[in-house]
Amino acid sequence: MAALALVPVGLGVLLRHPPLVLVGALGVAYAAYARGDAAPDLDVTLERELSDPTPDPGDDVTVTLRVRNDGGGTLPDLRIVDGVPPALATESSARLGTALRPGRTATLRYDVTAVRGAHEFDPVHLLARNPSGSRERDARIEAGGTTTMRCTPELEASSSLPLRGLTTVYSGRVPTDVGGAGLEFHSTREYRHGDPANRVNWARYARTGELSTLEFREERAATVVVCIDAREEAYLAPDPESANAVERSVEAASQAVPALLDSGDRVGVAAFGPGDCWLAPGVGDEHAARARDLLATHPALAPTPGDERFLPTTWVRRFRRWLPADAQVLFCTPLPDDYAVTVARRLDAYGHAVTVISPDPTADDTPGRRLARVERANRLSRLRAAGIRVLDWGDESLATELERASARWSR
């Protein structure tokens, strides 16, 4: 179009006709404007780099995003927004506005604070405008390099967890009402041939001359499934700066699982929420590693709620099929609604002894929050009235709360 506009200019010069030259000049100017008014091409290459792709919780990680203009024209106004995972808090802005000539590279750096989980970065949002700002091109482009940050905390055992009486046939630490080998005296019975000499009641033999055998309270292992309430309703916190209840429930599970495994109990993990999050009960170092990876990175236990549809009634039926008959349940839930109470009572009624660890997410700074606190207290009372052990976990450490609860439950 610009070439055609030059024709009248040339004719006007040859014919010495100024109006014709003026018309041609206007055509050239219009062609130049039309060319400059087009939206710029977004031919760029993106590369992301993390200073530490596998940090510990709380570590600061520097994210470096490089954008290179591979096109033939200048990008006069380029806006860049990196796709930071929603669970990561940024110490500085993850945005950049710049002009970028062909073959040149712009760099965006910012810091994030690592939290538990596998965090996948979203595509980078790019917006390019022409020099006049009248046209723009919008795109989301996947960056090369590192796209996932995995933060896997260590499992740290808390104090010994008090378990209820449901046990397996294997020896462990849970006292039973069955007489046999153990530490706590249970009863005496008539001597049978083959009884070990160290269990013969020699004091009675010295007094009466009759042989009898001491019976001790047998201690057996338990099968425990730690179930975390990870529904959207459970993502509650007393204020924006505090960890939400799902995070605290995962913290409780991260302390309970190694404590139970160290005691010789069989331990499984499940999530009461969207997605099939299930680790069958087991023992050993390899099983502990699988539990650690599940608690740290499974999408069902993400630090922020997902948008997947969840059918709680279907989940309860499926969970019952997963549970071994002799399994008791350690249910970690903030009790955000009555359905959590229903699940605990239903599982207990089916014969799976239930213990509830309930992180308190309530506050009392508004009338609505005070009402929510009262409703939760009522749910705690209903569970206790049904004979279910409940630990109301406030601001103290879980180990301290467990010691207090153990003293109450042993009376």
Side-chain angles (χ1 to χ4, degrees), residues 67-102:
V67 184
R68 188 180 71 243
N69 183 2
D70 294 332
T74 299
L75 298 173
D77 184 1
L78 179 63
R79 314 291 175 92
I80 305 164
V81 181
D82 200 2
V84 182
L88 298 182
T90 56
E91 301 290 333
S92 50
S93 176
R95 299 166 178 260
L96 176 67
T98 184
L100 200 58
R101 288 187 292 176

Short mmCIF file of all heavy atoms in Angstrom, two decimals, residues 67-102:
data_model
loop_
_atom_site.label_atom_id
_atom_site.label_comp_id
_atom_site.label_asym_id
_atom_site.label_seq_id
_atom_site.Cartn_x
_atom_site.Cartn_y
_atom_site.Cartn_z
N VAL A 67 12.55 -13.69 29.25
CA VAL A 67 11.69 -13.57 28.07
C VAL A 67 12.54 -13.04 26.92
O VAL A 67 13.10 -11.95 27.01
CB VAL A 67 10.51 -12.61 28.33
CG1 VAL A 67 9.57 -12.58 27.14
CG2 VAL A 67 9.77 -13.01 29.59
N ARG A 68 12.65 -13.82 25.82
CA ARG A 68 13.45 -13.39 24.66
C ARG A 68 12.52 -13.14 23.48
O ARG A 68 11.63 -13.95 23.18
CB ARG A 68 14.47 -14.47 24.29
CG ARG A 68 15.46 -13.99 23.21
CD ARG A 68 16.49 -15.04 22.84
NE ARG A 68 15.91 -16.13 22.08
CZ ARG A 68 15.87 -17.39 22.50
NH1 ARG A 68 16.38 -17.71 23.67
NH2 ARG A 68 15.32 -18.32 21.75
N ASN A 69 12.74 -12.02 22.82
CA ASN A 69 11.94 -11.67 21.64
C ASN A 69 12.56 -12.34 20.42
O ASN A 69 13.62 -11.95 19.94
CB ASN A 69 11.93 -10.14 21.48
CG ASN A 69 11.05 -9.71 20.31
OD1 ASN A 69 10.43 -10.55 19.66
ND2 ASN A 69 10.98 -8.42 20.07
N ASP A 70 11.88 -13.38 19.89
CA ASP A 70 12.37 -14.11 18.72
C ASP A 70 11.80 -13.54 17.41
O ASP A 70 12.12 -14.06 16.34
CB ASP A 70 11.99 -15.59 18.83
CG ASP A 70 12.71 -16.27 19.99
OD1 ASP A 70 13.82 -15.83 20.33
OD2 ASP A 70 12.16 -17.24 20.54
N GLY A 71 10.93 -12.56 17.50
CA GLY A 71 10.32 -11.99 16.29
C GLY A 71 11.23 -10.98 15.61
O GLY A 71 12.32 -10.64 16.09
N GLY A 72 10.72 -10.48 14.47
CA GLY A 72 11.52 -9.52 13.71
C GLY A 72 11.24 -8.07 14.06
O GLY A 72 11.92 -7.17 13.55
N GLY A 73 10.22 -7.81 14.87
CA GLY A 73 9.89 -6.43 15.21
C GLY A 73 10.02 -6.15 16.69
O GLY A 73 10.04 -7.07 17.53
N THR A 74 10.11 -4.87 17.00
CA THR A 74 10.20 -4.47 18.40
C THR A 74 8.84 -4.58 19.10
O THR A 74 7.80 -4.30 18.49
CB THR A 74 10.71 -3.02 18.50
OG1 THR A 74 12.01 -2.95 17.91
CG2 THR A 74 10.77 -2.55 19.94
N LEU A 75 8.87 -5.02 20.34
CA LEU A 75 7.66 -5.02 21.17
C LEU A 75 7.73 -3.78 22.04
O LEU A 75 8.41 -3.76 23.07
CB LEU A 75 7.61 -6.29 22.03
CG LEU A 75 7.54 -7.62 21.25
CD1 LEU A 75 7.65 -8.81 22.20
CD2 LEU A 75 6.24 -7.70 20.46
N PRO A 76 7.06 -2.70 21.65
CA PRO A 76 7.23 -1.43 22.37
C PRO A 76 6.63 -1.41 23.76
O PRO A 76 7.08 -0.65 24.62
CB PRO A 76 6.54 -0.41 21.45
CG PRO A 76 5.55 -1.23 20.69
CD PRO A 76 6.14 -2.58 20.52
N ASP A 77 5.61 -2.24 24.00
CA ASP A 77 4.96 -2.24 25.31
C ASP A 77 4.57 -3.68 25.63
O ASP A 77 3.54 -4.17 25.17
CB ASP A 77 3.73 -1.33 25.29
CG ASP A 77 3.08 -1.23 26.67
OD1 ASP A 77 3.62 -1.84 27.62
OD2 ASP A 77 2.05 -0.54 26.79
N LEU A 78 5.41 -4.35 26.40
CA LEU A 78 5.18 -5.77 26.74
C LEU A 78 4.96 -5.89 28.25
O LEU A 78 5.81 -5.48 29.04
CB LEU A 78 6.39 -6.60 26.32
CG LEU A 78 6.31 -8.10 26.64
CD1 LEU A 78 5.16 -8.76 25.89
CD2 LEU A 78 7.64 -8.79 26.29
N ARG A 79 3.82 -6.46 28.63
CA ARG A 79 3.50 -6.70 30.05
C ARG A 79 3.59 -8.20 30.31
O ARG A 79 3.02 -9.01 29.57
CB ARG A 79 2.09 -6.20 30.39
CG ARG A 79 1.78 -4.80 29.85
CD ARG A 79 2.58 -3.73 30.57
NE ARG A 79 2.37 -2.41 29.96
CZ ARG A 79 1.44 -1.56 30.37
NH1 ARG A 79 0.60 -1.91 31.34
NH2 ARG A 79 1.32 -0.38 29.80
N ILE A 80 4.25 -8.57 31.40
CA ILE A 80 4.50 -9.98 31.72
C ILE A 80 4.01 -10.25 33.14
O ILE A 80 4.38 -9.53 34.08
CB ILE A 80 6.01 -10.31 31.63
CG1 ILE A 80 6.56 -9.91 30.27
CG2 ILE A 80 6.27 -11.79 31.93
CD1 ILE A 80 8.07 -9.84 30.22
N VAL A 81 3.19 -11.29 33.31
CA VAL A 81 2.72 -11.72 34.64
C VAL A 81 2.97 -13.21 34.76
O VAL A 81 2.38 -14.01 34.02
CB VAL A 81 1.23 -11.42 34.85
CG1 VAL A 81 0.81 -11.84 36.26
CG2 VAL A 81 0.92 -9.95 34.61
N ASP A 82 3.84 -13.62 35.68
CA ASP A 82 4.15 -15.04 35.82
C ASP A 82 2.99 -15.76 36.52
O ASP A 82 2.28 -15.17 37.35
CB ASP A 82 5.44 -15.23 36.64
CG ASP A 82 6.06 -16.60 36.41
OD1 ASP A 82 5.51 -17.37 35.60
OD2 ASP A 82 7.10 -16.90 37.02
N GLY A 83 2.81 -17.03 36.18
CA GLY A 83 1.71 -17.83 36.75
C GLY A 83 2.09 -18.45 38.08
O GLY A 83 2.32 -19.66 38.19
N VAL A 84 2.16 -17.64 39.12
CA VAL A 84 2.57 -18.13 40.44
C VAL A 84 1.47 -19.02 41.02
O VAL A 84 0.29 -18.66 40.99
CB VAL A 84 2.81 -16.94 41.40
CG1 VAL A 84 3.28 -17.44 42.76
CG2 VAL A 84 3.83 -15.99 40.80
N PRO A 85 1.82 -20.23 41.52
CA PRO A 85 0.81 -21.09 42.14
C PRO A 85 0.10 -20.36 43.29
O PRO A 85 0.74 -19.59 44.03
CB PRO A 85 1.63 -22.28 42.66
CG PRO A 85 2.84 -22.30 41.80
CD PRO A 85 3.14 -20.86 41.49
N PRO A 86 -1.20 -20.59 43.46
CA PRO A 86 -1.95 -19.80 44.46
C PRO A 86 -1.50 -19.99 45.90
O PRO A 86 -1.70 -19.10 46.72
CB PRO A 86 -3.40 -20.30 44.26
CG PRO A 86 -3.27 -21.60 43.53
CD PRO A 86 -2.04 -21.51 42.71
N ALA A 87 -0.87 -21.12 46.22
CA ALA A 87 -0.48 -21.35 47.61
C ALA A 87 0.81 -20.64 48.00
O ALA A 87 1.13 -20.55 49.18
CB ALA A 87 -0.32 -22.85 47.86
N LEU A 88 1.55 -20.12 47.01
CA LEU A 88 2.85 -19.50 47.30
C LEU A 88 2.68 -18.00 47.49
O LEU A 88 2.11 -17.31 46.64
CB LEU A 88 3.83 -19.77 46.16
CG LEU A 88 4.17 -21.23 45.88
CD1 LEU A 88 5.18 -21.34 44.76
CD2 LEU A 88 4.70 -21.91 47.15
N ALA A 89 3.20 -17.51 48.61
CA ALA A 89 3.18 -16.08 48.89
C ALA A 89 4.42 -15.45 48.27
O ALA A 89 5.53 -15.95 48.44
CB ALA A 89 3.16 -15.84 50.40
N THR A 90 4.23 -14.34 47.53
CA THR A 90 5.35 -13.69 46.86
C THR A 90 5.88 -12.56 47.73
O THR A 90 5.12 -11.77 48.29
CB THR A 90 4.92 -13.13 45.50
OG1 THR A 90 3.80 -12.25 45.69
CG2 THR A 90 4.52 -14.25 44.57
N GLU A 91 7.21 -12.51 47.84
CA GLU A 91 7.86 -11.43 48.59
C GLU A 91 7.94 -10.15 47.77
O GLU A 91 8.05 -9.07 48.32
CB GLU A 91 9.26 -11.87 49.02
CG GLU A 91 9.29 -13.12 49.89
CD GLU A 91 8.73 -12.85 51.27
OE1 GLU A 91 8.79 -11.69 51.72
OE2 GLU A 91 8.20 -13.80 51.88
N SER A 92 7.94 -10.28 46.44
CA SER A 92 8.00 -9.12 45.55
C SER A 92 7.08 -9.40 44.37
O SER A 92 6.57 -10.51 44.21
CB SER A 92 9.44 -8.87 45.10
OG SER A 92 10.02 -10.07 44.60
N SER A 93 6.89 -8.39 43.53
CA SER A 93 5.92 -8.51 42.44
C SER A 93 6.39 -9.50 41.38
O SER A 93 7.57 -9.52 41.00
CB SER A 93 5.68 -7.15 41.80
OG SER A 93 4.81 -7.28 40.70
N ALA A 94 5.45 -10.30 40.88
CA ALA A 94 5.76 -11.25 39.81
C ALA A 94 5.32 -10.68 38.47
O ALA A 94 4.91 -11.42 37.58
CB ALA A 94 5.05 -12.58 40.08
N ARG A 95 5.43 -9.34 38.32
CA ARG A 95 5.02 -8.66 37.08
C ARG A 95 6.18 -7.84 36.54
O ARG A 95 7.04 -7.39 37.29
CB ARG A 95 3.83 -7.72 37.35
CG ARG A 95 2.59 -8.45 37.86
CD ARG A 95 1.58 -7.47 38.42
NE ARG A 95 0.38 -8.15 38.86
CZ ARG A 95 -0.74 -8.23 38.17
NH1 ARG A 95 -0.81 -7.62 37.00
NH2 ARG A 95 -1.79 -8.87 38.62
N LEU A 96 6.15 -7.63 35.22
CA LEU A 96 7.18 -6.81 34.57
C LEU A 96 6.56 -6.13 33.36
O LEU A 96 5.83 -6.75 32.60
CB LEU A 96 8.35 -7.70 34.13
CG LEU A 96 9.47 -7.00 33.36
CD1 LEU A 96 10.20 -6.00 34.26
CD2 LEU A 96 10.45 -8.01 32.79
N GLY A 97 6.89 -4.84 33.18
CA GLY A 97 6.50 -4.10 31.98
C GLY A 97 7.76 -3.56 31.33
O GLY A 97 8.60 -2.94 31.99
N THR A 98 7.91 -3.82 30.03
CA THR A 98 9.15 -3.43 29.37
C THR A 98 8.93 -3.31 27.86
O THR A 98 7.90 -3.76 27.35
CB THR A 98 10.27 -4.45 29.65
OG1 THR A 98 11.49 -4.01 29.08
CG2 THR A 98 9.91 -5.81 29.07
N ALA A 99 9.89 -2.70 27.17
CA ALA A 99 9.97 -2.75 25.71
C ALA A 99 11.07 -3.74 25.35
O ALA A 99 12.07 -3.85 26.07
CB ALA A 99 10.27 -1.37 25.14
N LEU A 100 10.88 -4.46 24.24
CA LEU A 100 11.83 -5.54 23.93
C LEU A 100 12.12 -5.54 22.43
O LEU A 100 11.23 -5.78 21.61
CB LEU A 100 11.24 -6.87 24.38
CG LEU A 100 12.20 -8.04 24.59
CD1 LEU A 100 13.25 -7.67 25.64
CD2 LEU A 100 11.44 -9.28 25.01
N ARG A 101 13.37 -5.26 22.09
CA ARG A 101 13.78 -5.27 20.70
C ARG A 101 14.05 -6.70 20.22
O ARG A 101 14.25 -7.60 21.04
CB ARG A 101 15.03 -4.41 20.52
CG ARG A 101 14.75 -2.93 20.66
CD ARG A 101 15.96 -2.12 20.33
NE ARG A 101 17.02 -2.31 21.33
CZ ARG A 101 18.23 -1.79 21.24
NH1 ARG A 101 18.53 -1.04 20.20
NH2 ARG A 101 19.11 -2.01 22.18
N PRO A 102 14.08 -6.93 18.92
CA PRO A 102 14.30 -8.30 18.40
C PRO A 102 15.63 -8.89 18.91
O PRO A 102 16.66 -8.20 18.91
CB PRO A 102 14.32 -8.11 16.88
CG PRO A 102 13.57 -6.85 16.65
CD PRO A 102 13.82 -5.97 17.84
#
